[in-house]
């Protein structure tokens, strides 16, 4: 998921390896050529950024790295055009079938197209035709260089939020202008400044939302259009293509969640599709340096850990009979993996009536319905696997586990939210909580227990900063309470700034009348009041009737501890090994606990399945 270079023969050779592999599978390969312009991060090149603007210093880029970019001279323009041509030629030589010139996302060409950025008064600025010249010239030169061998595509954002893009009407005119040079249009919405419009989170943007916009520009071209719109459902994809508005589905996240999506569709196995839930863990984890997926544990691990997304190596011990306690995300994933590996019997036992664990009530929260795909997909697999049995409404204690007759036991009993206000920053419980009429943990609210008196003041203390605090605040506001949210993070729903739903979530809270306090660390509660300190030690106090504490979770691991404490009893029971996974081991986000279960299943017969095997790292080979 990192962009790569195509500057020299060695780069070309590396690309060819990948392109050949793509061709071996009967697919076409496309290369997207990109210049960030004013938004170039310059991490490795350490060059200055480039910008079209003619107003030196007066119009710095509205975001991006520090500094005012250099205004491009006509020579710079020519040099960059030639760089696109050189890259296209190398792409063609590496075997790519499609060369895509990126003109979207608010990057270099989009900056020229935008009247907000482009204030030039030469032939590259002013009228729409002039603003489009750099891009059209580049397309033309790329077409002349490789157009006989490759299809030429260009990615354009048909609409962006805020003032920095161009309008939909201008998009239609631009499409008409460049149409003769293009074989394929690759259309999206949004820019680097409103990334969430493009990589839209399901929490705030429905699937297919861009179709209205695409409909309005369809008349501008008869060439095929690739359209993105968080497509995940085969039915809506088919409908979009049948409508004639777009011709090809662009859907990166669905390919991450299930790389075998097209094959499953082709084979009519739609029930096996792992549908992307739009949780955007791919984006937040990419920002942290390693792209991962909350639906698909194998994403990014195919080479590194040798995990095929669909194939599971059979267990050597065909007689393994495995008891998994807890059917939350971790237990479910472990049980399914072990059943797919051919364990003789996997029993998945839960106190609850249904699978899903902590995620089950979460999907009822405002906007989180699509996260339920995590459970739906796994439920179908549980039903299909004859060696996997879900046993609901059964609470096991240590004795029951010892008597169960299993050869292996996996404890996936989850975690619970603390009710004492302990946070990682204070390392202490919040004193004085008795002074409030009501104190709730998230579970108490989620499971539909007691609620405060209708209309009273409720404060959500979100020291965690994940999705839950803001979702509960929204829920309570929808229920008519007078809601505040307090967080020690620099923004409310801080993680949302990485999963790209933060701005929309905050807007929605604001529109619902939720008061938001950020950068506040609570230090104590009193009679009807919460007190703390804001930035620069500024005292903070908030009158409230109820507090909802979203601070930290502690593992529910007593079963595991009890079993491990009595080795003799374990030996006598015939249990070979007991493992603890998921939130019961260490409370973490969904993607990580799911990964835990998957990893255990994959490495079940390693010398020490509790500890992950080393994975392949990138390294330079030392030569004598
Ligand atoms: P994770 O996120 O690690 O998968 P969850 O909290 O989602 O964990 O799920 C834990 C599940 O374990 C819950 O569904 C809970 O009902 C179940 N559970 C906890 N203790 C027991 C027990 N003693 N017997 C059976 N099920 C249990």
């Amino acid at each position: 998921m990192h962009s790569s270079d195509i500057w020299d023969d060695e780069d070309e050779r590396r690309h060819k390896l990948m392109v050949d592999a793509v061709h071996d599978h009967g697919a076409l390969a496309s290369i997207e050529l990109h210049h960030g312009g004013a938004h170039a991060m310059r991490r490795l090149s350490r060059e200055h950024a480039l910008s079209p603007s003619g107003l030196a210093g007066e119009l710095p880029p509205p975001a991006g790295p520090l500094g005012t970019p250099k205004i491009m001279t006509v020579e710079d323009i020519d040099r960059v055009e030639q760089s696109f041509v050189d890259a296209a030629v190398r792409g063609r030589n590496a075997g790519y079938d499609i060369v895509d010139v990126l003109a979207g996302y608010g990057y270099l060409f989009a900056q020229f197209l935008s009247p907000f950025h482009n204030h030039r008064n030469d032939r590259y600025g002013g009228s729409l035709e002039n603003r489009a010249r750099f891009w059209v010239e580049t397309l033309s030169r790329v077409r002349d260089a490789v157009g006989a061998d490759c299809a030429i595509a260009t990615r354009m954002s048909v609409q962006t939020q805020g003032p920095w893009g161009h309008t939909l009407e201008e998009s239609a005119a631009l499409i008409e202008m460049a149409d003769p040079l293009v074989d394929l249009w690759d259309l999206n919405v949004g820019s680097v400044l409103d990334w969430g419009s493009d990589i839209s989170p399901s929490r705030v943007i429905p699937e297919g939302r861009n179709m209205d916009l695409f409909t309005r520009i369809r008349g501008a071209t008869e060439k095929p259009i690739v359209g993105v719109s968080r497509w995940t459902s085969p039915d809506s994809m088919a409908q979009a293509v049948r409508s004639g508005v777009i011709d090809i589905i662009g859907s990166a996240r669905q390919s991450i969640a299930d790389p075998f999506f097209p094959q499953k569709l082709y084979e009519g196995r739609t029930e096996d599709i792992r549908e992307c839930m739009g949780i955007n863990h791919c984006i937040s984890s990419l920002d942290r340096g390693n792209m991962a997926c909350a639906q698909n544990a194998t994403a990014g691990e195919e080479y590194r850990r040798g995990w095929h997304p669909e194939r599971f190596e059979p267990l050597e011990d065909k007689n393994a009979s495995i008891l998994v306690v807890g059917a939350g995300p971790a237990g479910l994933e472990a049980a399914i993996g072990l059943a797919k590996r051919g364990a003789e019997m996997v029993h998945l036992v839960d106190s609850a009536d249904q699978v899903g664990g902590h995620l089950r009530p979460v999907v009822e929260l405002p906007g989180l319905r699509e996260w339920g795909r995590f459970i739906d997909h796994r439920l179908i697999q549980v039903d299909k696997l004859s060696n996997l049995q879900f046993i609901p409404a059964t609470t096991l204690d240590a004795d029951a586990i010892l008597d169960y007759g299993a050869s292996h036991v996996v404890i996936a009993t989850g975690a619970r939210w603390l009710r004492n206000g302990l946070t990682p920053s204070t390392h202490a419980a919040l004193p004085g909580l008795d002074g409030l009429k009501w104190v709730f943990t998230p579970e108490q609210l989620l499971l539909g227990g007691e609620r405060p008196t209708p209309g009273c003041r409720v404060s959500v203390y979100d020291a965690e900063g994940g999705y839950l605090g803001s979702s509960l605040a929204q829920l309570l506001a929808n229920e008519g309470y007078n809601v505040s949210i307090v967080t020690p993070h620099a923004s409310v729903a801080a993680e949302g700034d990485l999963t790209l739903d933060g701005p929309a979530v905050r807007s929605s809270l604001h529109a619902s009348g939720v008061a938001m306090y950020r950068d506040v660390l609570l230090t104590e509660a009193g009679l009807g009041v919460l007190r703390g300190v804001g930035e620069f030690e500024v005292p903070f106090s908030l009158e409230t009737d109820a507090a909802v504490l979203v601070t930290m979770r502690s593992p529910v691991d007593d079963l595991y501890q009890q079993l491990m404490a009595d080795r003799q009893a374990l030996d006598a029971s015939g249990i070979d090994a007991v493992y603890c996974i998921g939130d019961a081991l260490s409370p973490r986000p969904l993607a990580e606990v799911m990964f835990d279960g998957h990893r255990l299943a994959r490495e079940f017969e390693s010398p020490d399945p509790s500890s992950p095997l080393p994975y392949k790292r990138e390294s330079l080979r030392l030569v004598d």
Side-chain angles (χ1 to χ4, degrees):
M1 283 300 289
H2 288 280
S3 55
S4 63
D5 304 322
I6 187 152
W7 291 357
D8 58 24
D9 292 351
E10 186 59 21
D11 287 341
E12 200 178 298
R13 201 181 62 82
R14 271 195 286 268
H15 279 266
K16 190 169 181 316
L17 286 175
M18 196 266 291
V19 170
D20 288 348
V22 169
H23 287 164
D24 285 348
H25 286 85
L28 300 178
S30 171
I31 185 166
E32 188 175 63
L33 305 178
H34 158 71
H35 193 302
H39 293 299
M41 298 303 286
R42 298 126 53 196
R43 278 184 273 237
L44 295 176
S45 75
R46 304 181 67 173
E47 279 190 45
H48 54 77
L50 293 173
S51 151
S53 178
L55 293 182
E58 289 178 31
L59 278 181
L66 290 179
T68 303
K70 174 181 186 275
I71 293 160
M72 288 179 82
T73 60
V74 172
E75 290 72 32
D76 288 328
I77 288 176
D78 181 61
R79 188 173 52 84
V80 171
E81 288 183 4
Q82 188 57 44
S83 306
F84 273 85
V85 171
D86 294 345
V89 168
R90 287 199 180 279
R92 187 266 319 269
N93 295 348
Y96 281 102
D97 308 280
I98 304 167
V99 170
D100 193 326
V101 173
L102 179 79
Y105 289 119
Y107 289 129
L108 182 62
F109 291 121
Q111 286 155 23
F112 270 76
L113 296 175
S114 154
F116 179 81
H117 289 280
N118 186 344
H119 288 249
R120 300 178 72 96
N121 47 24
D122 63 1
R123 65 183 196 278
Y124 293 100
S127 67
L128 187 64
E129 202 180 346
N130 277 1
R131 283 184 269 134
R133 190 179 307 282
F134 177 26
W135 167 58
V136 169
E137 278 178 4
T138 306
L139 282 172
S140 172
R141 286 172 70 171
V142 166
R143 184 158 196 98
D144 285 350
V146 301
D149 308 318
C150 301
I152 308 296
T154 190
R155 166 159 272 204
M156 192 171 80
S157 307
V158 295
Q159 194 177 62
T160 52
Q161 306 249 311
W164 38 77
H166 46 81
T167 63
L168 192 69
E169 290 66 33
E170 284 179 324
S171 292
L174 289 166
I175 289 174
E176 281 173 12
M177 217 181 279
D179 209 39
L181 301 167
V182 166
D183 300 301
L184 182 68
W185 285 95
D186 179 5
L187 303 181
N188 75 335
V189 299
S191 78
V192 67
L193 301 174
D194 62 318
W195 229 25
S197 301
D198 180 41
I199 309 167
S200 49
S202 63
R203 199 175 173 190
V204 291
I205 296 184
E207 179 177 6
R209 200 252 336 230
N210 300 343
M211 281 298 276
D212 281 353
L213 299 173
F214 296 153
T215 306
R216 285 157 63 195
I217 50 83
R218 173 75 260 193
T221 179
E222 287 184 358
K223 303 268 172 74
I225 294 179
V226 182
V228 297
S229 202
R230 199 169 61 75
W231 302 114
T232 64
S233 133
D235 286 337
S236 41
M237 291 182 191
Q239 203 181 354
V241 171
R242 259 192 228 114
S243 72
V245 172
I246 60 173
D247 306 278
I248 300 172
I249 297 294
S251 181
R253 280 173 292 172
Q254 180 52 44
S255 313
I256 299 169
D258 192 342
F260 283 76
F261 174 86
Q263 190 174 345
K264 289 176 183 172
L265 207 50
Y266 183 69
E267 292 171 0
R269 288 166 49 215
T270 43
E271 80 282 3
D272 284 336
I273 290 170
R274 225 175 6 246
E275 204 169 336
C276 168
M277 6 172 208
I279 192 169
N280 272 3
H281 185 77
C282 46
I283 295 301
S284 56
S285 56
L286 183 63
D287 221 72
R288 296 189 167 109
N290 180 30
M291 198 224 56
C293 174
Q295 265 287 45
N296 174 11
T298 68
E301 305 297 347
E302 302 87 345
Y303 170 74
R304 244 179 8 185
R305 296 183 205 250
W307 295 352
H308 189 285
E310 296 296 309
R311 278 185 233 131
F312 288 79
E313 207 164 304
L315 289 174
E316 280 181 16
D317 176 8
K318 294 278 172 285
N319 299 323
S321 70
I322 301 160
L323 169 64
V324 180
V325 187
L332 265 173
E333 189 71 8
I336 291 168
L338 288 163
K340 288 192 170 172
R341 293 195 64 187
E344 188 188 40
M345 193 62 200
V346 182
H347 277 192
L348 177 61
V349 180
D350 203 295
S351 321
D353 293 341
Q354 294 171 305
V355 301
H358 77 279
L359 194 58
R360 173 72 57 189
V362 161
V363 306
E364 306 296 334
L365 284 167
L368 302 189
R369 174 69 60 193
E370 288 187 36
W371 295 20
R373 289 174 184 168
F374 184 100
I375 301 172
D376 298 344
H377 171 70
R378 284 160 183 84
L379 195 52
I380 290 169
Q381 300 305 305
V382 170
D383 285 346
K384 283 179 96 168
L385 289 158
S386 57
N387 55 344
L388 168 52
Q389 204 183 331
F390 173 56
I391 298 159
T394 306
T395 301
L396 296 178
D397 59 19
D399 288 340
I401 292 173
L402 291 169
D403 289 345
Y404 205 89
S407 62
H408 299 77
V409 175
V410 179
I411 301 292
T413 42
R416 67 172 70 87
W417 287 94
L418 296 179
R419 200 187 167 279
N420 63 3
L422 181 77
T423 71
S425 351
T426 52
H427 283 218
L430 204 57
L433 283 168
D434 293 351
L436 301 177
K437 272 195 204 146
W438 295 277
V439 175
F440 294 98
T441 64
E443 287 108 350
Q444 286 172 307
L445 292 179
L446 286 169
L447 298 174
E450 189 203 3
R451 283 280 199 275
T453 314
C456 77
R457 295 165 304 181
V458 183
S459 302
V460 177
Y461 183 38
D462 183 13
E464 190 209 33
Y467 68 91
L468 192 57
S470 53
S471 294
L472 288 173
Q474 186 66 60
L475 174 79
L476 292 163
N478 295 354
E479 289 179 0
Y481 292 101
N482 181 350
V483 182
S484 299
I485 183 165
V486 182
T487 180
H489 294 275
S491 58
V492 167
E495 182 71 10
D497 289 328
L498 297 182
T499 50
L500 309 180
D501 40 24
V505 164
R506 288 188 288 269
S507 295
S508 170
L509 290 173
H510 176 71
S512 307
V514 175
M516 290 179 259
Y517 304 95
R518 54 204 160 81
D519 259 325
V520 174
L521 194 62
L522 293 184
T523 50
E524 60 172 2
L527 269 185
V529 69
L530 290 168
R531 291 194 201 92
V533 282
E535 207 182 4
F536 314 119
E537 304 293 316
V538 175
F540 171 87
S541 81
L542 178 66
E543 290 184 5
T544 194
D545 304 303
V548 181
L549 300 172
V550 191
T551 60
M552 278 184 84
R553 286 180 296 160
S554 80
V556 176
D557 62 355
D558 21 331
L559 260 185
Y560 178 71
Q561 303 296 356
Q562 282 167 29
L563 289 168
M564 297 310 279
D566 192 347
R567 290 267 164 193
Q568 268 182 335
L570 269 185
D571 291 344
S573 71
I575 294 174
D576 289 344
V578 182
Y579 305 111
C580 185
I581 59 167
D583 287 320
L585 182 70
S586 155
R588 283 156 292 165
L590 174 63
E592 292 183 47
V593 294
M594 180 275 291
F595 179 86
D596 234 19
H598 194 95
R599 188 207 61 78
L600 181 72
R602 292 271 182 180
E603 298 181 351
F604 204 66
E605 292 181 325
S606 75
D608 175 13
S610 298
S611 311
L613 290 172
Y615 45 86
K616 285 185 194 139
R617 281 94 59 216
E618 279 184 25
S619 60
L620 287 176
R621 196 162 291 152
L622 298 177
V623 185
D624 291 338

